[in-house]
Amino acid sequence: MSETMTATGSTRIWDLPLRLFHWLLVALIAFSWWSGEEHYMEWHRLSGYAILALLVFRLWWGFTGSRTARFTQFVRGPGAVFTYAKTLFSSSRHTADGHNPLGGWSVIAMLLAIAAMVIAGLFAVDVDGWESGPLAYWVSFEQGRSAAEFHETVFNVIMALIILHVAAIVFYLAVKRMNLLRPMITGRRTKTAEEAVEDARWSPAMALIGIVIAGAVAWFVSTGFRF
């Protein structure tokens, strides 16, 4: 949005399920770190199952959610990413109907890293063999230890991605004069008279189905598929 344009209202850019997913994931990543550091492994496992449920829901919502939540809306090709990157350090403001091309790929990177961490944790075994993930019985002790080490390594990658994410928020606020945090809280951003943008609409029924699927997958995994 150029600085000469005037805001005339607001539009819903992020749906409620997506915002809940975002903030629950933030809270659970922090809780997983704390419980792991303090060796509250039962809480750590439960947090991991909750994160797994969130990831399953996000996968479902990436195909059935509102337009800004769908992967087809924000996963762009190299050309779109390069074109957007050339304007990154410009002081002009660009309203985005969802994630911009760079932001879209950062979302994918974060989701893949978190998925890798959770999957590794399912097979992980501690050094004494007392604490293990629900699927550790599928692998040898050595493989379980490798999974545990990978689990910790990927967590460090996630921390780096989080730092980049926060830095990007600060960058957009300082350089672009765009507050990316507020819309993820309220769901809305300002729009101009020149924009013909409709609210991001979502289906409560699809959200409920996604929650049921996510919960079922997390529960079955937590049992080690032994039921």
Side-chain angles (χ1 to χ4, degrees):
M1 181 172 63
S2 70
E3 294 170 352
T4 59
M5 295 181 181
T6 56
T8 60
S10 66
T11 182
R12 184 184 298 114
I13 188 173
W14 303 121
D15 60 55
L16 178 61
L18 185 64
R19 285 179 282 137
L20 288 176
F21 162 83
H22 180 276
W23 294 114
L24 284 173
L25 187 60
V26 169
L28 286 169
I29 290 292
F31 183 78
S32 290
W33 171 81
W34 173 81
S35 57
E37 288 293 309
E38 297 297 325
H39 302 288
Y40 295 130
M41 298 314 295
E42 184 61 30
W43 287 108
H44 190 72
R45 278 192 294 270
L46 290 173
S47 181
Y49 300 146
I51 292 174
L52 173 61
L54 284 179
L55 290 174
V56 173
F57 177 82
R58 185 63 185 91
L59 180 62
W60 167 266
W61 207 238
F63 295 99
T64 63
S66 63
R67 70 176 187 279
T68 55
R70 299 193 180 205
F71 298 127
T72 53
Q73 192 273 347
F74 65 82
V75 178
R76 306 290 183 83
V81 174
F82 181 72
T83 299
Y84 181 80
K86 290 191 297 184
T87 69
L88 192 59
F89 292 94
S90 167
S91 60
S92 62
R93 299 176 62 188
H94 302 274
T95 55
D97 189 23
H99 296 293
N100 63 56
L102 278 176
W105 281 107
S106 71
V107 169
I108 296 300
M110 182 69 77
L111 292 176
L112 289 176
I114 295 173
M117 179 187 69
V118 170
I119 292 171
L122 297 176
F123 294 91
V125 179
D126 74 353
V127 68
D128 297 319
W130 288 101
E131 298 287 351
S132 59
L135 304 183
Y137 73 96
W138 288 10
V139 299
S140 67
F141 176 78
E142 290 75 17
Q143 290 171 327
R145 287 301 303 142
S146 296
E149 292 171 1
F150 184 72
H151 180 73
E152 295 178 8
T153 299
V154 176
F155 181 78
N156 292 331
V157 172
I158 292 170
M159 290 299 99
L161 290 174
I162 290 173
I163 291 171
L164 286 175
H165 183 67
V166 173
I169 292 173
V170 174
F171 171 82
Y172 273 87
L173 185 61
V175 177
K176 299 286 192 180
R177 297 294 188 269
M178 295 175 65
N179 189 329
L180 301 183
L181 189 60
R182 185 184 297 117
M184 190 53 71
I185 296 173
T186 66
R188 309 190 73 86
R189 70 162 173 82
T190 57
K191 68 174 182 178
T192 66
E194 291 80 5
E195 290 184 277
V197 181
E198 297 182 356
D199 283 351
R201 303 183 185 280
W202 58 284
S203 165
M206 287 293 103
L208 181 59
I209 292 172
I211 291 171
V212 171
I213 292 173
V217 170
W219 183 81
F220 281 124
V221 171
S222 73
T223 66
F225 299 107
R226 292 180 288 195
F227 45 86

